[in-house]
């Protein structure tokens, strides 16, 4: 055991499942001892995910129901610098820059399934919205050398999920000159489009506003469709691909609301990664004839392995990727405002919270 040399510091804890107002701001948190298997991290930045909203609210209708977990530090994604390591830790040393990995204490290549999600950072294990945190080493990986703490904090959940969508299926990794479609401008989708562009793929995106469409174009997206103006965007999106052949990869975050359009836009043998339900419930049925016509792969996935996180970090460094951030960055005291921006879907890419004063 090593003594933690931290003074009193600030953090956000879950207290109820009443939503954002139920988050509790603690100004005199402390860390007593760093255990033999712990890594004490001075946290510099955190970023929010759609998941953090439903953790605060006690669940997401039809998807997951959560019990209150009072006192647990909220937040899944974060970055910081190692201050102290326990006697049994040999994978990190003081001064290392690190990012979080949501599920710890499983092998590097263990695939994450939904039964494990309850133990993720900020849900069942102390998370990232704190100026200092102790983590099991398996909840950390080294951060990319080329990123600021704010940029690195965007990578863990949404970035890793995007990486898994485009690189996780053996033999189907996204390639130069392929066509990729992403939906909306949330964390997973913007990470996916940046990964796709970094490998030289062509990207088409959907969004709900002209302002966000302009930001997508600035990042290098070739064509943007407004899914509010064109709710049945599958056929027009397909028409944007050479010879109307369809997309090689579609990153589907909308779930029931968007899968029907995705199967119209995918090419024969293409991969639809279905990983979210942000479009909410709908009465629409998926046109199964389109699945047969296009004979595609519909792949469900949950985040990614720790090894995939390391591979993602290596790709970020190799390609010199710079994750897009939202226009505003919040301070630690402003976390409730940050959650509200995420909830109202006003953000572009990732809502980031700076943790040090
Ligand atoms: N399977 C996994 O492991 C995993 C991991 C991470 C996230 N997810 C899931 O993936 C989804 C996205 O997560 P996130 O953190 O990226 O969310 P987020 O940052 O909160 O993204 C929200 C964005 O989704 C877009 N959107 C909403 N309804 C849409 C629709 N009908 N069609 C297209 N886009 C729509 C909007 O983009 P515009 O404002 O541009 O319209 C909105 O801003 C969530 O359901 C989340 O639970 C799953």
């Amino acid at each position: 055991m090593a003594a933690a040399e931290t003074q009193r510091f600030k953090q956000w804890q879950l207290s109820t499942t009443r939503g954002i107002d139920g988050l509790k701001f603690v100004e005199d948190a402390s860390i007593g001892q760093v255990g033999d298997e712990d890594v004490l991290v001075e946290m510099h930045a955190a970023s929010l995910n759609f998941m953090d909203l439903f953790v605060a609210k006690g669940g997401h209708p039809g998807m997951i129901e959560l019990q209150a977990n009072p006192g647990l530090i909220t937040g899944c994604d974060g970055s910081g610098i190692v201050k102290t390591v326990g006697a049994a830790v040999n994978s990190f040393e003081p001064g290392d820059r690190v990012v979080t990995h949501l599920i710890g204490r499983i092998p590097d290549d263990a695939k994450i399934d939904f039964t494990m999600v309850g133990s993720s950072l900020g849900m069942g294990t102390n998370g990232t919205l704190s100026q200092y945190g102790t983590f099991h080493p398996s909840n950390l990986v080294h951060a990319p050398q080329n990123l600021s703490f704010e940029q690195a904090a965007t990578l863990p959940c949404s970035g890793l999920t995007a990486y898994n969508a485009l690189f996780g299926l053996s033999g189907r990794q996204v390639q130069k000159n392929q066509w990729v479609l992403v939906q909306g401008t949330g964390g997973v989708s913007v990470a996916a489009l940046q990964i796709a562009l970094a490998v030289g793929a062509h990207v088409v995106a959907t969004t709900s506003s002209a302002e966000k469409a302009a930001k997508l174009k600035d990042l290098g997206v070739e064509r943007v469709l407004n899914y509010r103006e064109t709710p049945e965007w599958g056929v027009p999106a397909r028409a944007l691909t050479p010879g109307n052949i369809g997309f090689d990869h579609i990153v589907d975050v909308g779930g029931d609301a968007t899968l029907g359009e995705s199967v119209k836009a995918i090419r024969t043998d293409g991969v639809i990664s279905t990983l979210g339900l942000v479009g909410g419930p709908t009465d629409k049925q998926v046109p199964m004839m389109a699945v047969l016509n296009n004979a595609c792969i519909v792949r469900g996935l949950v985040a990614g392995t720790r090894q995939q996180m390391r591979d993602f970090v290596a790709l970020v460094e190799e390609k010199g990727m710079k994750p897009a951030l939202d226009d505003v960055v919040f301070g630690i005291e402003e976390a409730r405002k940050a959650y509200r921006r995420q909830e109202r879907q006003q953000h572009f890419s990732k809502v980031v919270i700076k943790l040090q004063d």
Side-chain angles (χ1 to χ4, degrees):
M1 295 258 212
E5 293 167 12
T6 59
Q7 299 170 343
R8 299 278 156 173
F9 57 88
K10 299 171 187 168
Q11 67 182 206
W12 285 88
Q13 298 177 356
L14 299 173
S15 66
T16 65
T17 49
R18 280 199 339 263
I20 296 168
D21 288 334
L23 296 173
K24 185 176 167 196
F25 188 46
V26 175
E27 297 197 63
D28 60 348
S30 63
I31 287 174
Q33 295 285 329
V34 178
D36 286 352
E37 292 196 4
D38 286 340
V39 180
L40 174 67
V41 181
E42 179 182 271
M43 298 297 291
H44 282 260
S47 77
L48 296 183
N49 294 289
F50 188 79
M51 175 175 86
D52 295 307
L53 294 173
F54 68 74
V55 171
K57 292 174 185 175
H60 185 55
M63 194 172 157
I64 189 166
E65 196 173 319
L66 300 167
Q67 302 300 313
N69 209 341
L72 191 93
I73 302 168
T74 187
C76 175
D77 293 5
S79 62
I81 189 158
V82 173
K83 297 306 277 185
T84 310
V85 298
V89 175
N90 51 27
S91 43
F92 297 97
E93 51 187 48
D96 285 353
R97 288 157 55 92
V98 289
V99 290
T100 50
H101 180 258
L102 69 169
I103 310 276
R105 299 175 194 275
I106 55 174
D108 279 0
D109 59 352
K111 289 205 164 74
I112 295 175
D113 65 38
F114 230 77
T115 61
M116 302 175 188
V117 169
S119 70
S120 61
L121 294 179
M123 202 185 296
T125 304
N126 276 325
T128 54
L129 268 178
S130 178
Q131 293 184 315
Y132 290 88
T134 50
F135 298 92
H136 190 266
S138 59
N139 278 119
L140 299 170
V141 304
H142 289 96
Q145 303 286 331
N146 60 323
L147 299 189
S148 66
F149 285 119
E150 288 78 23
Q151 291 165 332
T154 69
L155 303 182
C157 178
S158 48
L160 173 61
T161 304
Y163 178 83
N164 187 359
L166 294 175
F167 276 93
L169 188 58
S170 179
R172 300 296 176 140
Q173 288 91 348
V174 66
Q175 290 172 27
K176 189 174 178 183
N177 291 330
Q178 285 190 333
W179 283 76
V180 176
L181 183 137
V182 301
Q183 300 171 353
T185 57
V188 176
S189 302
V190 174
L193 79 84
Q194 291 196 282
I195 293 167
L197 289 171
V199 301
H202 304 275
V203 179
V204 172
T206 65
T207 186
S208 56
S209 79
E211 190 192 344
K212 289 183 176 180
K215 290 184 180 186
L216 288 166
K217 292 261 179 72
D218 286 347
L219 286 179
V221 168
E222 290 184 26
R223 296 292 294 271
V224 181
L225 296 167
N226 186 312
Y227 63 84
R228 295 231 168 98
E229 291 167 3
T230 313
E232 299 202 344
W233 48 262
V235 171
R238 183 189 191 89
L240 298 173
T241 61
N244 202 30
I245 195 166
F247 290 88
D248 298 278
H249 280 274
I250 296 183
V251 179
D252 190 305
V253 298
D256 293 332
T258 51
L259 185 58
E261 297 310 308
S262 294
V263 296
K264 294 179 199 166
I266 197 74
R267 68 175 289 171
T268 298
D269 239 10
V271 181
I272 300 174
S273 297
T274 171
L275 51 89
L277 297 169
V278 79
T282 173
D283 293 335
K284 281 195 237 164
Q285 284 197 330
V286 177
M288 292 310 289
M289 199 57 215
V291 179
L292 296 178
N293 279 340
N294 298 331
C296 61
I297 298 166
V298 179
R299 174 182 181 237
L301 63 101
V302 182
T305 66
R306 194 174 315 109
Q307 186 53 47
Q308 284 175 323
M309 185 69 191
R310 294 195 188 112
D311 295 344
F312 179 34
V313 165
L315 183 80
V316 168
E317 287 178 342
E318 181 201 325
K319 302 289 183 189
M321 287 173 59
K322 300 282 181 192
L325 306 182
D326 194 15
D327 294 340
V328 270
V329 173
F330 294 89
I332 188 166
E333 277 89 356
E334 302 175 301
R336 280 201 194 99
K337 274 195 202 167
Y339 271 73
R340 289 210 172 84
R341 187 167 171 83
Q342 181 92 11
E343 183 181 44
R344 292 172 186 151
Q345 301 193 343
Q346 292 167 324
H347 63 296
F348 181 86
S349 186
K350 292 289 276 185
V351 173
V352 172
I353 301 171
K354 280 176 91 151
L355 297 173
Q356 296 298 321
D357 295 319

